[in-house]
Amino acid sequence: MSSPLLKRYDDDTSHIDTGDTAWILVSAALVFIMSPGIGYFYSGMARSKNAVSLVFLCMIAMSVVSVQWMIWGYSLALSDTATNPFIGNLTYGLLLNVGDKAHANAPTIPGAVYAIFQCMFAALTPALALGGAAERIRILPTIIFCFVWTTIVYDPIAYWSWAPNGWMYKMGSLDYAGGTPVHINSGFAALAFAIVLGKRHGYGQEKFEPHNYLNIILGTALLWFGWFGFNGGSGVASNGRAGVAFAVTHIAACMGGLAWSLVAYFRNGKKFSSFHFCSGAVAGLVAITPASGYVAPWAALVFGAVAGVACHFAVDFKEKFRFDDALDVFAVHGVGGLVGNLLTGIFASKGVAALNGSEIDGGWIDHHWKQFGYQLASSCAGAGWAFFVSALILVIFNYIPGLHLRIDEEGEISGTDMTEMGEHGYRYATKEPSLHGGSTHSVSGLEEGNRVGAGVGAGFTDHDSSSKSTVANGNEKPAISAGV
């Protein structure tokens, strides 16, 4: 006798394509990888005393939003039964009525598969935005903030963009995989974070630099890998259009990395930097996101090149306008998302969309001149909602006892790893005199980790007899070398 827990909500499975279902399940897993990926990317960009908390924040954001998605997020963001143009209903609250029954956006896969795939997009977005407040944010209020922000900011924008009755969708705006709901949204929310929370202690006096370039490279690799599911799975089918989305994703990332690297090479003393390449690659990935299922591979070269250059120069905005976007989220995701959305209005192709039988009017290359206006309208609406509503939520939180997000100055100086978590990411082995002569090893983490601050690669360093040292007051003080 079968268990009632295994009973299907919809016994008609004739519409289900097993190949499509398998690909979207794999794509969901790929997008999941992007959450720790952005954590490692951010941790490498920050100072060593904040590295663990940034990875943790990305993982905790994923967890909070996944719970919110189950309770009501999926239904508010993507209900295909809601009739108003602004927000969904609670038809799928608690993921009820979600099983084999297909969603209107994904007719060949079970609704449960589509729900978990879209969950990964929602879970990633606030993690991206938190980069604007890096190194000065409390964890407990952030947990609550992520739940509220996803409900009030992400869910409406996702509904506008992707739900069958969303106003952007019905207007004709094209957003294949999240240019507005994910990237413009997170970029402008990060800008709100930076302005409302204020600058980090020492901003303008100290030079804040990445502490671990290997973490940045690792994070970029995880993001790049996950983006194949992010874009390649957004057509919710395994077909030629998914292949094109996969290809343009890779091409745009490569071109973005090259473009940013070359511009930075000539602006920064003719030296290459892994950080510059990684930033450009992510900018290219961001820009191609809304267009990935609409443009031909040759157009991806344009997306990557324009995004790499535009986002590189956008980093200068924070110096010019004096806001402390700690990890350049606005420059890469906000500006990169705008670039991608607008270029989609130019390069969207009827032929690419037709690979899976879809019909669009195309962009300028198909002489559909209005498309650029649709893209501009949706971009401005998403950016405005993300910035102003995020700022309002942050201000309200600051007036609620115990929910202010800004860490105190002493905690910021000590680092969020120890202040908020009581943990540190790196331990350093040093030699100390032994009672029997020679030396013994002792390990310290907090003192050295905080001393490293910004600009020094962190890692476990075991100083042997060949290590350089300096002498002060007769006591040997071993030098700290970079490494992982």
Side-chain angles (χ1 to χ4, degrees):
M1 184 174 66
S2 63
S3 167
L5 295 176
L6 301 179
K7 183 179 179 180
R8 293 192 174 105
Y9 291 108
D10 179 5
D11 292 327
D12 179 13
T13 60
S14 60
H15 59 281
I16 301 300
D17 183 286
T18 54
D20 292 349
T21 301
W23 169 235
I24 303 309
L25 285 170
V26 170
S27 295
L30 289 172
V31 181
F32 167 85
I33 289 293
M34 296 174 71
S35 287
I38 197 64
Y40 272 94
F41 187 76
Y42 281 174
S43 75
M45 292 175 67
R47 291 172 287 180
S48 60
K49 61 186 179 182
N50 303 298
V52 177
S53 59
L54 280 168
V55 180
F56 178 76
L57 277 170
C58 290
M59 298 303 291
I60 205 73
M62 177 196 65
S63 301
V64 171
V65 175
S66 296
V67 172
Q68 186 270 358
W69 196 250
M70 184 274 295
I71 295 172
W72 58 43
Y74 174 59
S75 197
L76 292 176
L78 290 165
S79 174
D80 52 3
T81 62
T83 57
N84 77 84
F86 300 109
I87 194 68
N89 54 29
L90 294 178
T91 298
Y92 300 125
L94 299 177
L95 294 186
L96 298 174
N97 305 312
V98 177
D100 277 342
K101 183 180 179 181
H103 188 279
N105 289 353
T108 64
I109 67 173
V113 175
Y114 184 64
I116 195 62
F117 175 65
Q118 286 291 341
C119 174
M120 299 305 169
F121 286 68
L124 179 66
T125 307
L128 293 171
L130 292 175
E135 302 193 323
R136 58 196 189 277
I137 191 169
R138 296 174 60 220
I139 292 176
L140 180 59
T142 302
I143 291 173
I144 301 170
F145 175 87
C146 286
F147 191 100
V148 173
W149 184 89
T150 303
T151 301
I152 299 176
V153 180
Y154 178 86
D155 290 347
I157 296 178
Y159 183 86
W160 304 346
S161 303
W162 291 325
N165 285 311
W167 71 266
M168 289 181 186
Y169 185 90
K170 295 187 75 172
M171 177 180 68
S173 175
L174 300 176
D175 193 335
Y176 193 73
T180 302
V182 177
H183 298 298
I184 290 177
N185 191 2
S186 62
F188 280 83
L191 180 61
F193 259 123
I195 293 172
V196 175
L197 264 65
K199 302 177 182 68
R200 286 169 289 177
H201 178 76
Y203 181 86
Q205 300 171 345
E206 302 175 26
K207 189 175 183 180
F208 299 134
E209 295 181 344
H211 89 277
N212 192 320
Y213 292 93
L214 293 180
N215 271 10
I216 295 174
I217 295 171
L218 173 61
T220 302
L222 291 173
L223 287 170
W224 198 325
F225 181 65
W227 230 294
F228 291 130
F230 194 91
N231 290 348
S234 287
V236 288
S238 177
N239 52 32
R241 196 177 183 190
V244 170
F246 202 114
V248 299
T249 298
H250 184 62
I251 294 167
C254 294
M255 194 66 205
L258 292 171
W260 188 310
S261 294
L262 290 173
V263 172
Y265 176 81
F266 290 107
R267 293 187 76 201
N268 297 287
K270 294 188 176 181
K271 289 185 181 295
F272 285 105
S273 166
S274 59
F275 182 29
H276 293 153
F277 175 80
C278 290
S279 297
V282 173
L285 289 165
V286 168
I288 199 63
T289 293
S292 53
Y294 297 119
V295 300
W298 65 265
L301 295 172
V302 180
F303 278 76
V306 174
V309 174
C311 294
H312 171 83
F313 284 103
V315 172
D316 295 341
F317 290 168
K318 67 180 182 181
E319 301 297 334
K320 183 176 181 179
F321 296 106
R322 304 293 295 172
F323 62 87
D324 186 12
D325 178 8
L327 305 181
D328 299 324
V329 186
F330 172 72
V332 174
H333 294 273
V335 174
L338 287 171
V339 167
N341 266 12
L342 297 179
L343 289 179
T344 300
I346 298 173
F347 294 102
S349 167
K350 293 179 180 179
V352 174
L355 289 174
N356 70 343
S358 297
E359 294 183 6
I360 63 170
D361 293 324
W364 285 7
I365 64 169
D366 288 321
H367 306 106
H368 185 229
W369 313 112
K370 292 181 180 180
Q371 192 61 52
F372 188 86
Y374 296 154
Q375 300 302 116
L376 179 61
S378 61
S379 298
C380 291
W385 185 267
F387 177 78
F388 289 109
V389 179
S390 297
L392 179 62
I393 297 171
L394 289 168
V395 170
I396 292 173
F397 266 52
N398 284 338
Y399 282 100
I400 300 175
L403 289 186
H404 62 279
L405 280 95
R406 180 69 189 253
I407 199 170
D408 60 47
E409 183 175 322
E410 181 180 352
E412 185 180 334
I413 293 171
S414 298
T416 53
D417 288 358
M418 287 303 298
T419 302
E420 289 291 299
M421 301 181 66
E423 300 173 347
H424 48 77
Y426 305 103
R427 299 177 71 83
Y428 300 86
T430 60
K431 284 185 175 180
E432 294 182 350
S434 168
L435 293 174
H436 306 290
S439 62
T440 60
H441 289 87
S442 68
V443 179
S444 64
L446 175 60
E447 180 182 354
E448 297 293 356
N450 289 337
R451 190 183 304 163
V452 170
V456 180
F460 184 94
T461 304
D462 192 355
H463 298 279
D464 58 22
S465 59
S466 64
S467 297
K468 295 179 181 179
S469 63
T470 58
V471 179
N473 299 323
N475 295 321
E476 286 193 347
K477 297 179 70 176
I480 300 176
S481 62
V484 171

